[in-house]
Amino acid sequence: MLYSSDIQLIKPKKRWQAVNHSVLQQKNIQLWLCHLDTGLPEVSGNKCLKLKYHLLQVVQSGFAGVVTFGGAYSNHLCAVAASCHAMGLKSVAYVRTDELDITNPTLAFCQQQGMRLIALDRGRYRQRSEPAFITGITASHPDLLLIPEGGSSAAGSLGVSELDLASTPDGNADLILCATASGGTLAGIVNGHDCNALGIAVVRDASLPSRVQQLINKTCAEKQWRVDGSFAGKGYGHFDSNLLAFCRSMAAQKVYVEPIYTGKALAGAIKLVEQDQIPSGSRLSFFHTGGLQGLQGLRHRNLITAADFALLSGSMAD
Ligand SMILES: Cc1ncc(COP(=O)(O)O)c(C=O)c1O
């Protein structure tokens, strides 16, 4: 059984949405967005897939819950907090911050869901993948399953690999695209599909292709995939007024994206079409990986206006 009763709460429903853009029209390209929704709004997009096998392991191995890592505005932390709360599990998060600011809406949400938050300064946070550090964390929380940052692990990619992103309502996609940060989502897409896959990096990280490679099954070695690093701009979390304007233009057609992940990657995809780097006549499938909760953090830091928050989050949509 793919979804046992334990994890029914995070079983997603798939929804396709066509994207219109003058560049796509000019180049005769179809672009379909694939959404995944669960009953828990914070556990949409790639989150429900990346958490599936981790949470199954928690339940089947008798762990009391989960310990994980993330930034102070992390979508992953919200997803872990919400799913653990709904499943009656404990959750603990090591947060990349000097001091926990509970006026931050992401951390406030996590705390409301019962997640225990522990601040880790940037120096110590950088050690999060080192074996000695991981051993220390698991020793401190022997009753909890450790999930790596972003849920990117073999178990996370396995969940993603089960999603059929290739069968768009208009027929098979020629290329599947997604926003890429820690790499687990792209690796899962490659493992689960035969068509080409392209990760648009939203972070500046030269090691990203090798991190993706590590999560790709040996049997998939011949598959065609790549990471495009040309749209990360100044790096993770940075965006300019053009990108914000793009997100607004998408919201006007009820395509809701934010400028950290999905908006940055979707704008990059359209730029690649404009630059003729994607063959004219192609059919594209873009995985909407979720993350709209991040808009609250952007608003909290005054990086977007209240009007943009309402527009981009769809709260003004009917
Ligand atoms: C909304 C959103 N999109 C894309 C990604 C990138 O996924 P990955 O870290 O698997 O590359 C993340 C991070 O998990 C995310 O929160």
Side-chain angles (χ1 to χ4, degrees):
M1 200 200 310
L2 273 182
Y3 278 87
S4 67
S5 56
D6 306 311
I7 51 165
Q8 276 295 324
L9 281 164
I10 60 158
K11 183 175 177 177
K13 273 210 179 85
K14 185 156 86 170
R15 179 167 56 88
W16 291 99
Q17 183 180 26
V19 176
N20 298 312
H21 193 281
S22 53
V23 168
L24 300 174
Q25 219 170 352
Q26 267 165 31
K27 307 282 180 181
N28 185 29
I29 296 234
Q30 283 178 2
L31 199 163
W32 283 98
L33 225 58
C34 180
H35 296 268
L36 287 188
D37 304 307
T38 70
L40 305 169
E42 292 75 19
V43 198
S44 62
N46 61 351
K47 304 291 167 275
C48 45
L49 304 180
K50 283 185 174 189
L51 289 180
K52 176 183 173 184
Y53 284 102
H54 288 114
L55 292 174
L56 204 54
Q57 192 186 341
V58 168
V59 175
Q60 292 179 345
S61 307
F63 285 104
V66 164
V67 54
T68 192
F69 305 91
Y73 296 96
S74 160
N75 297 320
H76 168 69
L77 292 191
C78 282
V80 169
S83 46
C84 285
H85 178 72
M87 291 171 68
L89 298 169
K90 276 211 259 184
S91 63
V92 173
Y94 286 83
V95 185
R96 187 184 57 225
T97 183
D98 291 330
E99 216 173 298
L100 292 170
D101 168 13
I102 299 304
T103 66
N104 159 347
T106 302
L107 296 184
F109 172 81
C110 290
Q111 211 173 45
Q112 276 159 22
Q113 301 292 300
M115 180 175 253
R116 183 178 152 217
L117 303 171
I118 302 168
L120 259 195
D121 63 53
R122 279 173 189 272
R124 286 196 298 151
Y125 193 87
R126 236 176 265 126
Q127 302 167 0
R128 67 194 176 284
S129 310
E130 290 175 15
F133 188 78
I134 291 179
T135 308
I137 298 287
T138 29
S140 307
H141 306 281
D143 58 335
L144 304 180
L145 177 76
L146 187 142
I147 301 184
E149 185 180 53
S152 283
S153 64
S157 295
L158 177 62
V160 175
S161 72
E162 291 174 350
L163 173 67
D164 176 7
L165 283 162
S167 313
T168 79
D170 270 328
N172 284 345
D174 301 298
L175 177 66
I176 302 175
L177 303 102
C178 67
T180 298
S182 57
T185 304
L186 179 60
I189 290 172
V190 173
N191 288 337
H193 295 86
D194 285 328
C195 79
N196 295 351
L198 172 61
I200 301 196
V202 298
V203 293
R204 283 162 72 105
D205 177 359
S207 72
L208 197 43
S210 68
R211 291 170 70 188
V212 175
Q213 184 70 65
Q214 278 168 20
L215 292 169
I216 291 182
N217 299 337
K218 296 216 167 31
T219 51
C220 299
E222 301 299 314
K223 292 194 183 175
Q224 295 295 312
W225 65 274
R226 75 180 179 94
V227 175
D228 192 311
S230 38
F231 302 103
K234 289 187 179 157
Y236 177 72
H238 291 273
F239 58 91
D240 60 17
S241 55
N242 289 335
L243 180 49
L244 206 50
F246 171 80
C247 295
R248 285 188 204 114
S249 73
M250 286 292 113
Q253 58 174 288
K254 299 192 178 189
V255 170
Y256 300 110
V257 289
E258 39 65 47
I260 309 296
Y261 290 99
T262 49
K264 203 180 234 189
L266 189 58
I270 291 176
K271 202 78 194 155
L272 289 174
V273 171
E274 193 174 20
Q275 295 167 349
D276 292 319
Q277 294 198 48
I278 292 177
S280 159
S282 299
R283 184 177 301 125
L284 313 183
S285 163
F286 183 100
F287 184 17
H288 191 303
T289 39
L292 289 180
Q293 79 78 30
L295 289 166
Q296 297 179 63
L298 297 181
R299 177 68 201 121
H300 176 69
R301 286 171 286 169
N302 268 325
L303 296 174
I304 57 171
T305 62
D308 274 338
F309 173 75
L311 179 66
L312 305 189
S313 62
S315 54
M316 279 165 61
D318 44 47

